[in-house]
Amino acid sequence: MIIALLAFLGGVLTILSPCILPVLPFVFARADQPFLKSTLPMLLGMAVTFAGIATLAAVGGAWAVHVNQYGRVLSLVLMAAFALTLLSRSLADRMMRPFVAMGSRLSASSDGGAPETSVLRSLLLGFATGLLWAPCAGPILGIVLTGAAISGPNTQTTLLLLAYAAGAATSLGVAIFAGNRLFTSMKKTFGAGEWIRRILGVAILLAVAAIAFGWDTQVLTRLSLESTNKLEQSLINAINPPAAQDASMAMSGAAGGSMAGQNSMMMSSQAPHGLPVQGDFPALTSPGPWLNSPPLTREGLRGKVVLVDFWTYSCINCLRTLPYLKTWYDKYKDHGLVIIGVHAPEFAFEKDLGNVRSAVADLGVKYPVVLDNNYDIWQAFNNRFWPAHYFIDAAGKIRSHHFGEGDYDEAEHTIRELLTEAGVKDLPPDSRAVAGATGIQAAADEAHVQSQETYVGYERAANFVTSTKLVQDQVAAYAMPPALQLNQWGLEGKWLVDREKATLDSAPGKIVFRFYARDLHLVLGPGKDGKPVRFRVLLDGVAPAADHGVDTDEKGNGVVKEQRLYQLIRQSKTIGEHTFSIEFLDKDLQAFAFTFG
């Protein structure tokens, strides 16, 4: 119920977001019509269509993308016809009659036409608007969409998306009501009614052109969403303060797919010692396979203190927690601590056993790791974060949890308290020393991070700017604009962009990003045949020299040999805003996501 309320309130806030601008002309064109027979059906149609399409986009495959594309084309045609009927009756008569008839049925003008507005016509207009609306994905919509992607198609996913759309429809309804009063007063002036129709017709045609050519997204990427996102985060804090605090931790470096709702399992009750009981240890239901250990069970772990770590090997936030996890394992494994790494993949390549086995070996992880490719354990814990740590006592009760990076001293204190509670004596000194936190695994320089995780695939891409519109699931040629603003990025060359990545169709190809952080990482992979891909990195147009990352040399040269996260920049001096570019010299390169630290 709480997450549904959050979704609704997040939708209400879309009226303050720049992403609502392209559909406002469609909505306000009905401002002078009866609310119950025109405005309400249109808003209902918009909400239902958005919820349905968003559900398909979150859980469907390429077929869902194509359905959405065809629907958008039809909607643009209908909206253009509708606009022409508003501009001029004589112009409408000279248009192709089938399309004009469709547009005329959508247009229920107050000074002509049918005496009673058709509910069906308004509903159809709402369906078209819903297909064209692409709201900005702030913290609340991120919760809903990530839950949809992880949990798959279900009633809760659709209802939450419907709640979000209903919130947007509510705020638009209020705006239309205010607009109706304004239009009514203006119509009292001679001739104003016809001029209002024509102005709305022009506005709709401009909106159709902007959406068709992708101008809307290119402009909107230049507008700040910070104020709206802060409002959404304050709502999360007000409604569920503990969850909100955890969310801000987990999303500080990896925004987007890390949070999908309230963790209802975390219901505290009083324990005999200081830490409360937050729930029972769920069964480890994933079929695996397991690495570094035979399969472990909840029953077999009774009497042990267990730390369950949800991670994935290309997640920079997860990698930065590994030095602490490995230190705790080495320090307390002979005193009753068991650490289990639950590897829940974010990208498809992270489901591959060979990739995970190589990463576990390369990263020096010695404790048990289980592949949770179907999110069985993830859902049993009702987890929503990468990384997430659950601390379980010897009696099989969850006593504490932590989402994201940081608070390592408190985490070790929890481990020691649970071991002491279990009767363990002669614990090692509480030195809190951590070895090996270097390279990619070194802690982020949070004071200088002004760039957030950015996905390259179109499903979660943001701030993408090139001279041409992003083409989904097809090879297209891209060129960079003359300049980028902070956190904008783009492609150059021939690329195929799908839901989760961009694949270079022919060499050379380039990715450019304007960023502000000490470290820049990029999740990359070679082609299907595994052939290495050479690349060259530049920082503000020159070789990075002393600012190169662990996966490049001073000249910026490097090679992609495997699917993983690559550290390409680590600034050694003054940290500021820079333009990063990476040129790939071989084709079939796969690029997934940027992260910063």
Side-chain angles (χ1 to χ4, degrees):
M1 182 61 186
I2 292 179
I3 185 60
L5 176 61
L6 272 176
F8 177 82
L9 294 176
V12 170
L13 288 176
T14 59
I15 195 68
L16 304 176
S17 168
C19 296
I20 200 69
L21 294 177
V23 299
L24 282 182
F26 309 148
V27 175
F28 276 100
R30 312 295 284 176
D32 61 343
Q33 303 299 312
F35 181 81
L36 291 179
K37 294 183 178 180
S38 176
T39 304
L40 182 60
M42 183 198 66
L43 293 176
L44 287 175
M46 173 183 168
V48 170
T49 304
F50 168 75
I53 292 298
T55 301
L56 289 178
V59 303
W63 65 271
V65 174
H66 294 312
V67 168
N68 187 25
Q69 288 175 331
Y70 297 144
R72 285 173 61 86
V73 171
L74 179 59
S75 296
L76 290 171
V77 173
L78 290 174
M79 288 298 184
F82 172 45
L84 292 175
T85 64
L86 293 174
L87 281 173
S88 167
R89 295 295 184 187
S90 59
L91 179 61
D93 290 339
R94 291 196 296 269
M95 291 293 295
M96 295 173 62
R97 293 190 179 276
F99 292 108
V100 173
M102 257 188 289
S104 297
R105 291 189 181 95
L106 291 173
S107 172
S109 62
S110 60
D111 55 355
E116 185 173 339
T117 303
S118 167
V119 173
L120 183 60
R121 289 195 293 261
S122 298
L123 197 61
L124 183 58
L125 181 60
F127 290 157
T129 305
L131 282 165
L132 297 175
W133 181 42
C136 301
I140 293 177
L141 187 57
I143 291 174
V144 177
L145 292 179
T146 304
I150 291 171
S151 302
N154 54 54
T155 303
Q156 182 184 21
T157 291
T158 303
L159 289 178
L160 289 177
L161 288 167
L162 193 58
Y164 185 89
T170 300
S171 60
L172 285 172
V174 173
I176 291 173
F177 178 76
N180 189 2
R181 299 186 63 179
L182 176 63
F183 292 162
T184 300
S185 64
M186 291 178 64
K187 280 185 176 182
K188 293 179 181 179
T189 305
F190 177 76
E194 187 62 29
W195 281 107
I196 291 173
R197 285 170 48 83
R198 292 176 180 174
I199 291 171
L200 287 172
V202 172
I204 291 175
L205 284 178
L206 291 175
V208 168
I211 294 173
F213 291 100
W215 298 333
D216 58 326
T217 56
Q218 292 180 27
V219 172
L220 293 178
T221 57
R222 292 170 169 81
L223 300 180
S224 174
L225 305 176
E226 183 177 358
S227 59
T228 308
N229 287 349
K230 285 183 177 178
L231 280 174
E232 292 192 21
Q233 190 62 53
S234 65
L235 277 175
I236 299 173
N237 294 345
I239 292 177
N240 190 8
Q245 183 181 13
D246 292 332
S248 63
M249 292 176 187
M251 298 180 73
S252 61
S258 59
M259 181 175 65
Q262 179 192 15
N263 195 334
S264 59
M265 181 187 68
M266 292 305 168
M267 302 297 292
S268 299
S269 62
Q270 191 58 43
H273 298 271
L275 295 172
V277 173
Q278 299 181 338
D280 292 325
F281 185 6
L284 301 173
T285 53
S286 175
W290 287 73
L291 304 176
N292 298 335
S293 168
L296 301 177
T297 66
R298 173 181 55 185
E299 293 74 19
L301 291 168
R302 190 61 59 89
K304 299 285 188 180
V305 172
V306 181
L307 193 168
V308 175
D309 166 44
F310 286 93
W311 73 300
T312 184
Y313 79 81
S314 74
C315 163
I316 184 60
N317 307 77
C318 303
L319 294 177
R320 289 197 287 247
T321 65
L322 284 182
Y324 299 91
L325 291 166
K326 292 189 292 184
T327 296
W328 297 335
Y329 176 72
D330 291 337
K331 191 173 182 179
Y332 298 110
K333 69 181 187 325
D334 295 329
H335 298 272
L337 175 68
V338 176
I339 297 180
I340 299 175
V342 179
H343 188 272
E346 184 177 14
F347 300 111
F349 68 82
E350 293 172 315
K351 296 182 178 181
D352 182 82
L353 174 59
N355 286 346
V356 179
R357 180 182 283 120
S358 296
V360 167
D362 293 342
L363 294 169
V365 175
K366 299 178 182 178
Y367 49 80
V369 173
V370 56
L371 276 68
D372 193 29
N373 286 349
N374 296 323
Y375 302 98
D376 297 312
I377 302 176
W378 177 287
Q379 294 187 69
F381 275 81
N382 198 20
N383 183 56
R384 295 293 183 269
F385 301 89
W386 290 286
H389 301 141
Y390 295 87
F391 300 84
I392 301 162
D393 65 18
K397 302 293 183 182
I398 299 174
R399 300 289 296 281
S400 184
H401 68 280
H402 181 267
F403 302 141
E405 303 176 51
D407 292 338
Y408 299 113
D409 288 350
E410 182 179 347
E412 185 170 2
H413 179 76
T414 299
I415 293 171
R416 295 178 67 87
E417 183 173 342
L418 294 180
L419 289 172
T420 301
E421 207 177 279
V424 177
K425 301 184 184 299
D426 299 325
L427 287 173
D430 187 7
S431 62
R432 311 283 171 88
V434 173
T438 60
I440 291 178
Q441 298 179 30
D445 183 2
E446 298 290 354
H448 293 96
V449 176
Q450 297 185 25
S451 297
Q452 295 183 340
E453 182 174 24
T454 301
Y455 293 90
V456 178
Y458 63 75
E459 183 178 50
R460 292 183 283 180
N463 298 332
F464 175 80
V465 181
T466 58
S467 59
T468 57
K469 181 180 179 181
L470 189 149
V471 180
Q472 299 181 357
D473 298 308
Q474 297 180 27
V475 175
Y478 298 93
M480 291 298 304
L484 294 176
Q485 297 182 14
L486 179 62
N487 294 328
Q488 290 183 340
W489 66 281
L491 302 171
E492 188 170 290
K494 291 186 176 181
W495 295 82
L496 189 153
V497 182
D498 62 28
R499 293 178 62 188
E500 72 169 17
K501 65 182 181 299
T503 302
L504 182 60
D505 183 68
S506 60
K510 186 182 292 185
I511 305 178
V512 183
F513 199 115
R514 185 74 175 172
F515 78 104
Y516 195 123
R518 183 195 66 192
D519 303 338
L520 181 146
H521 313 94
L522 185 54
V523 179
L524 300 169
K528 293 182 179 179
D529 59 359
K531 183 179 179 181
V533 175
R534 298 165 298 156
F535 65 80
R536 182 183 301 112
V537 164
L538 298 179
L539 191 63
D540 295 329
V542 298
D547 294 329
H548 70 91
V550 297
D551 292 301
T552 59
D553 60 21
E554 293 183 351
K555 296 181 179 180
N557 297 319
V559 180
V560 177
K561 298 181 179 179
E562 55 199 357
Q563 293 170 315
R564 63 174 176 87
L565 183 142
Y566 289 77
Q567 186 186 80
L568 304 175
I569 295 293
R570 165 158 286 176
Q571 297 184 66
S572 59
K573 298 179 181 178
T574 303
I575 299 170
E577 184 177 336
H578 299 281
T579 297
F580 162 87
S581 68
I582 180 169
E583 183 178 21
F584 301 101
L585 308 180
D586 303 291
K587 68 175 185 176
D588 296 332
L589 180 283
Q590 298 175 339
F592 294 85
F594 285 91
T595 59
F596 303 90

